[in-house]
Each structure stands twice: as C-alpha cells, then as structure tokens.
Amino acid sequence: MIAAAVAVVASCLCLLGLFVHTYGGHDRPGLIDSPEVAEVAERACTTMRAAVAVRAAPPQAATEAEVRAIRQQNDAVVAMVAEVRRLGKARLRDDHPTADWLSDWETLVDSRERHAAALSAGREPRFVVPVVDGVAITDRMNSTGLVCQVPPQLLDLP
C-alpha cells in the first residue's frame, strides 16, 4: 500500500517536472508577458491613443477632413507598431503573441485606409472590423494582457 502511494506521488512529481520543463519558459498563450516588450508597447500605445484622440475629425466634418483624420490616426498607429518593432526580431520572437498583436494593428490600419480611399472616391463604405479565425481582431488586440485597448475613434468611422 505504501509502495503504491509512493509510486503515485513519484509519478505526479515526474509529470509536474515534465510540465514545468516543457512549458515553464514559454509564453502564456495569447498574453504578451515579457516585461521589456510590455513596457515599450504600453508606452507606445499611450502615445498612439493620445494622438488618435487629438486627430479625430469633428462631428459633421467634411469628407476631406474625415479622410485626413483617418490617415493621421493611421500614422499614429503605424508609429506605435514601428516603435515596438524596434525591439528587434529576436526579442519579439521570444514573446510569441507580439507578432500577432502587431499584425492585427497593421490589418486594422490597412482596413481603415481602404475605408478612407473609398470615402475619398465618393463612395459610402461601411467599416467592419476585420475577423481572423472567427474572432474580431480588436478582441484579440484587447486581450493580450497589455494596458492598451483599441481606441474607439479607430473603429467609429463615417
């Protein structure tokens, strides 16, 4: 009986050791948990959010002003992404969710640019948040563990 209990405890300890060895040094899925990456991303995000708010078109703005505002806000997002990418490929590769997070920001900018181009051409587009694997990219972007929510001004397009 005691031998069986010792065997069970030893097995559990072996499994725990295997789990820690396999997953202990890896990212928590979906979370940007590197302090260095998080610090740079959150600082860049704060700057971006402030720029996006300042560059929003006023209510009832002319189409040209709306298009200009969209593009200026996009520039703020592009600057944020560039600042995070300056950490280097190796550093970002070590925190796996960062690549998807940055890609989602770029996808949002591309989608907003298509919207701005359609507005500029006189069409009346309807902006829809892009979806990847059945999930709105904004849901993924807001669920990384960073203090960096997608500003509503980036989603509420004319």
Side-chain angles (χ1 to χ4, degrees):
M1 183 67 113
I2 292 177
V6 169
V8 168
V9 169
S11 295
C12 289
L13 289 175
C14 285
L15 287 173
L16 178 61
L18 179 63
F19 178 83
V20 168
H21 174 73
T22 302
Y23 297 105
H26 293 347
D27 290 326
R28 293 175 290 166
L31 298 180
I32 296 174
D33 54 5
S34 161
E36 181 185 8
V37 173
E39 180 183 330
V40 170
E42 288 175 347
R43 185 179 59 243
C45 184
T46 298
T47 301
M48 177 272 297
R49 288 179 56 84
V52 163
V54 167
R55 295 173 180 161
Q60 308 303 318
T63 300
E64 299 82 29
E66 291 173 339
V67 169
R68 187 172 46 257
I70 291 169
R71 289 181 171 148
Q72 289 175 345
Q73 290 172 327
N74 284 351
D75 290 344
V77 174
V78 168
M80 176 194 73
V81 169
E83 186 171 339
V84 175
R85 287 200 188 282
R86 277 194 284 281
L87 287 168
K89 289 180 183 180
R91 176 71 222 119
L92 297 177
R93 196 173 30 250
D94 286 345
D95 200 12
H96 303 296
T98 306
D100 288 338
W101 184 73
L102 292 170
S103 178
D104 286 343
W105 283 104
E106 291 165 336
T107 298
L108 180 61
V109 166
D110 292 344
S111 183
R112 286 171 44 85
E113 176 51 37
R114 285 190 301 278
H115 186 86
L119 279 174
S120 185
R123 296 191 300 275
E124 294 185 22
R126 182 175 165 261
F127 181 75
V128 178
V129 172
V131 173
V132 174
D133 297 329
V135 178
I137 61 169
T138 50
D139 290 346
R140 292 176 6 159
M141 295 158 75
N142 289 338
S143 300
T144 61
L146 296 177
V147 179
C148 182
Q149 301 296 300
V150 177
Q153 299 93 332
L154 293 179
L155 308 175
D156 185 22
L157 299 181

Coordinates of all heavy atoms in Angstrom, one line a residue, residues 24-28 31-37 87-99:
G24 N 7.4 25.9 -18.8 CA 7.8 26.9 -17.8 C 8.5 28.1 -18.4 O 8.4 29.2 -17.9
G25 N 9.2 27.9 -19.5 CA 10.0 29.0 -20.1 C 9.2 29.6 -21.2 O 9.8 30.5 -21.9
H26 N 8.0 29.2 -21.5 CA 7.3 29.7 -22.7 C 6.2 30.7 -22.3 O 5.9 30.8 -21.1 CB 6.6 28.6 -23.4 CG 7.6 27.6 -24.0 ND1 8.9 27.9 -24.2 CD2 7.4 26.4 -24.6 CE1 9.5 26.9 -24.8 NE2 8.6 25.9 -25.0
D27 N 5.8 31.4 -23.3 CA 4.7 32.4 -23.1 C 3.4 31.8 -22.6 O 3.2 30.6 -22.9 CB 4.4 33.1 -24.4 CG 5.5 34.0 -24.9 OD1 6.1 34.6 -24.1 OD2 5.6 34.1 -26.1
R28 N 2.7 32.6 -21.9 CA 1.3 32.2 -21.6 C 0.6 32.5 -22.9 O 0.7 33.6 -23.4 CB 0.8 33.0 -20.4 CG 1.5 32.7 -19.1 CD 1.0 33.6 -18.0 NE 1.5 34.9 -18.3 CZ 1.1 36.0 -17.7 NH1 0.1 36.0 -16.8 NH2 1.6 37.2 -18.0
L31 N -0.9 36.0 -24.3 CA -0.5 37.2 -23.5 C 0.9 37.6 -23.8 O 1.8 36.8 -23.9 CB -0.6 36.8 -22.0 CG -2.0 36.5 -21.4 CD1 -1.9 36.1 -20.0 CD2 -3.0 37.6 -21.7
I32 N 1.0 38.9 -23.9 CA 2.4 39.5 -24.1 C 2.9 39.7 -22.7 O 2.4 40.6 -21.9 CB 2.3 40.8 -24.9 CG1 1.8 40.5 -26.3 CG2 3.7 41.5 -24.9 CD1 1.5 41.8 -27.1
D33 N 3.8 38.8 -22.2 CA 4.2 38.8 -20.8 C 5.7 39.1 -20.6 O 6.2 39.1 -19.5 CB 3.8 37.5 -20.2 CG 4.4 36.3 -20.9 OD1 5.1 36.4 -21.9 OD2 4.0 35.1 -20.5
S34 N 6.4 39.5 -21.7 CA 7.7 40.0 -21.5 C 7.7 41.4 -20.9 O 7.1 42.3 -21.6 CB 8.5 40.0 -22.8 OG 9.6 40.8 -22.7
P35 N 8.3 41.6 -19.8 CA 8.3 43.0 -19.2 C 8.9 44.0 -20.2 O 8.3 45.1 -20.3 CB 9.1 42.9 -18.0 CG 9.1 41.4 -17.6 CD 9.0 40.7 -18.9
E36 N 9.9 43.7 -20.9 CA 10.5 44.7 -21.8 C 9.6 45.0 -23.0 O 9.4 46.2 -23.3 CB 11.8 44.1 -22.4 CG 12.5 45.0 -23.3 CD 13.8 44.4 -24.0 OE1 14.0 43.2 -23.8 OE2 14.5 45.2 -24.7
V37 N 9.0 44.0 -23.6 CA 8.0 44.2 -24.7 C 6.8 45.0 -24.1 O 6.4 45.9 -24.8 CB 7.6 42.9 -25.3 CG1 6.5 43.1 -26.3 CG2 8.8 42.2 -26.0
L87 N 12.4 46.9 -31.1 CA 12.9 46.0 -30.1 C 13.7 44.9 -30.8 O 14.6 44.2 -30.1 CB 11.8 45.3 -29.2 CG 11.2 46.3 -28.2 CD1 10.0 45.6 -27.6 CD2 12.2 46.6 -27.1
G88 N 13.5 44.6 -32.0 CA 14.2 43.6 -32.8 C 13.5 42.3 -32.9 O 12.7 42.0 -32.1
K89 N 13.8 41.7 -34.0 CA 13.1 40.4 -34.4 C 13.3 39.4 -33.3 O 12.4 38.6 -32.9 CB 13.5 39.9 -35.7 CG 13.0 40.7 -36.9 CD 13.4 40.2 -38.2 CE 13.0 41.1 -39.3 NZ 13.4 40.6 -40.6
A90 N 14.5 39.2 -32.8 CA 14.8 38.2 -31.9 C 14.0 38.4 -30.6 O 13.4 37.5 -30.0 CB 16.3 38.1 -31.6
R91 N 14.0 39.6 -30.1 CA 13.3 39.9 -28.8 C 11.8 39.7 -29.0 O 11.1 39.2 -28.1 CB 13.6 41.4 -28.5 CG 12.9 41.9 -27.3 CD 13.4 41.3 -26.0 NE 12.3 41.0 -25.1 CZ 12.0 39.8 -24.7 NH1 12.7 38.7 -25.0 NH2 11.0 39.6 -24.0
L92 N 11.2 40.1 -30.1 CA 9.8 40.0 -30.3 C 9.4 38.5 -30.5 O 8.4 38.0 -30.1 CB 9.3 40.8 -31.5 CG 9.5 42.3 -31.3 CD1 9.1 43.1 -32.5 CD2 8.7 42.8 -30.1
R93 N 10.3 37.7 -31.2 CA 10.1 36.3 -31.4 C 10.0 35.6 -30.1 O 9.3 34.6 -30.0 CB 11.2 35.8 -32.3 CG 10.9 34.4 -33.0 CD 11.9 34.0 -34.0 NE 13.3 34.4 -33.7 CZ 13.9 35.3 -34.5 NH1 13.4 35.9 -35.5 NH2 15.2 35.7 -34.2
D94 N 10.7 36.0 -29.1 CA 10.7 35.4 -27.8 C 9.4 35.6 -27.1 O 9.1 34.8 -26.1 CB 11.8 35.9 -26.9 CG 13.2 35.4 -27.3 OD1 13.2 34.4 -28.1 OD2 14.2 36.0 -26.9
D95 N 8.6 36.5 -27.4 CA 7.3 36.7 -26.8 C 6.2 36.5 -27.9 O 5.8 37.5 -28.6 CB 7.2 38.1 -26.2 CG 6.1 38.2 -25.2 OD1 5.5 37.2 -24.8 OD2 5.7 39.4 -24.8
H96 N 5.9 35.3 -28.2 CA 5.1 34.9 -29.3 C 3.9 35.7 -29.7 O 3.7 36.0 -30.9 CB 4.7 33.4 -29.2 CG 5.9 32.5 -29.0 ND1 6.9 32.4 -30.0 CD2 6.3 31.8 -28.0 CE1 7.8 31.5 -29.5 NE2 7.5 31.2 -28.3
P97 N 3.0 36.1 -28.8 CA 1.8 36.8 -29.2 C 2.1 38.2 -29.8 O 1.2 38.8 -30.4 CB 1.0 36.9 -27.9 CG 1.6 36.0 -26.9 CD 3.0 35.8 -27.3
T98 N 3.3 38.7 -29.5 CA 3.5 40.1 -30.0 C 3.4 40.2 -31.5 O 2.9 41.2 -32.1 CB 5.0 40.5 -29.6 OG1 5.0 40.4 -28.1 CG2 5.2 42.0 -29.9
A99 N 3.9 39.2 -32.3 CA 3.8 39.2 -33.7 C 2.4 39.3 -34.2 O 2.0 40.1 -35.1 CB 4.5 38.0 -34.3

